[in-house]
Amino acid sequence: MINKDLFDALRMFEKEKDIPMDYMLQQIQKAIEIACKSYYGGNENVVFKADPEKNSFDVKLVKTVVDEVMDPNFEVTVEEAAQINKRKKYAVGDEIEVPLDPKRLGRIAVSSARNVIRQGIRAGEKGVSLIEFQSKLGEIVTATVERIDMKTGVATIRIGKSTAMLPKAEQVGIDTLHEGDMVKVYIADVKDNERGPHAIISRSHPGFVRRLFEKEVPEIYDGIVEIKSVSREAGSRTKMAVVSNNPDIDAIGACIGPKGARVNAIVSELGGEKIDIIVYSDDPQAYISAALSPATVLKVDIIDEETKSCKATVPDDQLSLAIGNKGQNARLAARLTGWRIDIRPESGFYGEDEDDEPAVEEAAAPAAEAEPAAEAEPAAEAEPAAAAETEA
């Protein structure tokens, strides 16, 4: 049976949807089997052959040759078999392939077949989307903004041939997206549930900053400089810990770039978000001291290594700087290092008895309880404390 229109449609579908023709032909065969089962009293023994080069396909229903037909859906007589295929002599018990015209199948059977094909198409599209998203997991992609929900601010983003939702919470605070905009997003996760495969995308994820640095700084991409951890409050501030695997390469300097070109490009992409870059250390005291920059830390006392709790002492005039605006600096330092940090002034007094619960601890403790960015999610990044603007 020649059906050029069918094969032209399958070729177009393969080109536009990336669903292979072989897969769609399998769905058509499955649909015909279901239709035959419905129309021919349960007989689903179908032989389906397709030749895309000749734009042809054949459908045949297998029946058994008998002396006397008891069920015409499954049986034919020897005489009927001879009429169907005159080139072969059939005996009782042989099987014969009876040519079918799918157009003759009943309305209900055809309707069922259509449903099977539609389900196959949807499954094929989901499979393509899943593969596409999984191949980009943990990466930054440049996508197109298709729609913006004016009430919720949720953006529909076109990634290749698939779409994903970018919630307002996953956008950088200063982002003002418009339909048609090209925007960079981070593929944070891929889910496959009853709604089908979909990507969890973000611009506020710490991994977004990490990938930006990997793309902007060749030393990171080549593995000479390593990002150890990142903590981030999107749209406001990021802290990033880096270390150099080459003693001749300055990790912070590599991230900043000549005249700050590298870090400034990233800050621009993030809409002015401040980035503090510090040097990672295996020594927790040195690491915690650096993480609390731009404040000067006089000493760090380890209280309990198992619970990762410590006390950091800072000059009295550096207390507010160490804590940061609404506790942000202490919070980010705690997430970056994974330590619970109790920040105290050098004098030991907060304007009240030392034994009283200090206000600064209330700000710092919740930060320290937060899980380190490196464990909770792909580490986020920041700019050197020494070079970045660090307003408390």
Side-chain angles (χ1 to χ4, degrees):
M1 180 185 301
I2 303 297
N3 194 326
K4 186 174 183 300
D5 291 342
L6 170 65
F7 285 93
D8 284 347
L10 293 177
R11 292 186 187 97
M12 182 175 67
F13 208 81
E14 183 175 43
K15 182 178 180 180
E16 293 182 355
K17 300 287 188 178
D18 280 338
I19 300 179
M21 182 183 293
D22 287 345
Y23 172 83
M24 287 309 305
L25 287 172
Q26 289 173 9
Q27 301 309 306
I28 292 173
Q29 178 177 352
K30 186 186 298 183
I32 291 174
E33 288 172 354
I34 290 175
C36 287
K37 183 178 181 180
S38 173
Y39 190 73
Y40 290 101
N43 189 352
E44 56 183 340
N45 192 356
V46 174
V47 176
F48 178 86
K49 295 179 181 178
D51 188 344
E53 292 186 3
K54 297 180 179 178
N55 296 319
S56 67
F57 72 91
D58 287 318
V59 181
K60 295 179 180 179
L61 185 67
V62 178
K63 296 185 178 183
T64 303
V65 178
V66 295
D67 277 330
E68 182 180 357
V69 173
M70 303 299 293
D71 188 343
N73 292 316
F74 288 85
E75 301 168 339
V76 295
T77 63
V78 175
E79 292 76 14
E80 289 173 330
Q83 291 296 319
I84 293 170
N85 187 348
K86 298 179 180 179
R87 292 177 296 179
K88 182 178 178 180
K89 187 174 182 180
Y90 289 91
V92 172
D94 290 344
E95 289 188 337
I96 183 172
E97 297 177 358
V98 181
L100 293 181
D101 183 354
K103 295 178 182 178
R104 296 179 58 188
L105 296 176
R107 179 177 58 82
I108 296 177
V110 171
S111 177
S112 299
R114 285 199 189 103
N115 290 336
V116 171
I117 293 174
R118 289 194 189 102
Q119 291 170 5
I121 292 173
R122 286 195 292 269
E125 290 175 327
K126 289 178 181 179
V128 170
S129 296
L130 185 62
I131 292 171
E132 183 173 18
F133 287 144
Q134 287 178 334
S135 68
K136 296 170 182 174
L137 180 61
E139 300 294 335
I140 288 177
V141 298
T142 300
T144 305
V145 179
E146 285 199 339
R147 291 189 305 278
I148 302 289
D149 188 312
M150 301 308 293
K151 291 184 178 179
T152 64
V154 175
T156 301
I157 306 294
R158 168 67 60 178
I159 302 174
K161 296 183 179 181
S162 305
T163 59
M165 299 296 112
L166 180 64
K168 190 65 178 177
E170 297 299 332
Q171 300 173 29
V172 177
I174 49 76
D175 281 347
T176 304
L177 303 178
H178 302 91
E179 292 182 9
D181 284 354
M182 301 298 290
V183 62
K184 291 180 180 178
V185 296
Y186 177 75
I187 310 294
D189 199 1
V190 177
K191 302 289 187 181
D192 188 13
N193 52 31
E194 64 278 359
R195 294 188 297 131
H198 58 281
I200 308 300
I201 62 175
S202 175
R203 283 177 54 80
S204 65
H205 195 285
F208 184 58
V209 179
R210 173 185 287 271
R211 291 303 185 205
L212 287 175
F213 270 94
E214 289 177 353
K215 290 178 178 293
E216 195 69 36
V217 182
E219 290 85 352
I220 295 177
Y221 182 83
D222 294 336
I224 299 172
V225 173
E226 182 181 354
I227 299 172
K228 299 295 287 189
S229 181
V230 181
S231 62
R232 184 183 183 205
E233 293 191 357
S236 178
R237 194 173 202 155
T238 287
K239 283 183 181 286
M240 180 173 75
V242 296
V243 65
S244 175
N245 296 318
N246 185 335
D248 297 327
I249 301 294
D250 174 25
I252 291 178
C255 293
I256 295 174
K259 298 182 180 181
R262 293 173 178 173
V263 74
N264 287 341
I266 295 170
V267 169
S268 177
E269 173 66 33
L270 300 177
E273 183 174 318
K274 293 180 176 65
I275 302 178
D276 299 337
I277 304 173
I278 69 165
V279 174
Y280 171 82
S281 175
D282 288 326
D283 177 2
Q285 294 168 313
Y287 188 25
I288 292 165
S289 295
L292 286 170
S293 61
T296 300
V297 178
L298 298 175
K299 65 175 181 175
V300 174
D301 297 313
I302 304 300
I303 298 173
D304 190 329
E305 289 192 2
E306 284 193 10
T307 60
K308 288 194 169 184
S309 59
C310 67
K311 180 174 72 173
T313 303
V314 301
D316 288 32
D317 62 355
Q318 297 272 300
L319 183 59
S320 62
L321 190 62
I323 297 173
N325 184 26
K326 298 181 181 179
Q328 184 185 70
N329 195 59
R331 193 162 53 247
L332 289 174
R335 291 175 185 165
L336 186 73
T337 61
W339 282 77
R340 179 183 178 87
I341 307 172
D342 174 13
I343 304 174
R344 293 186 177 263
E346 183 179 12
S347 66
F349 293 95
Y350 298 85
E352 53 190 22
D353 290 340
E354 187 176 0
D355 291 338
D356 293 340
E357 187 70 18
V360 63
E361 190 172 348
E362 294 176 12
E369 290 172 352
E371 289 187 17
E375 295 179 9
E377 45 202 345
E381 1 253 32
E383 115 186 48
E389 294 182 41
T390 51
E391 299 177 18

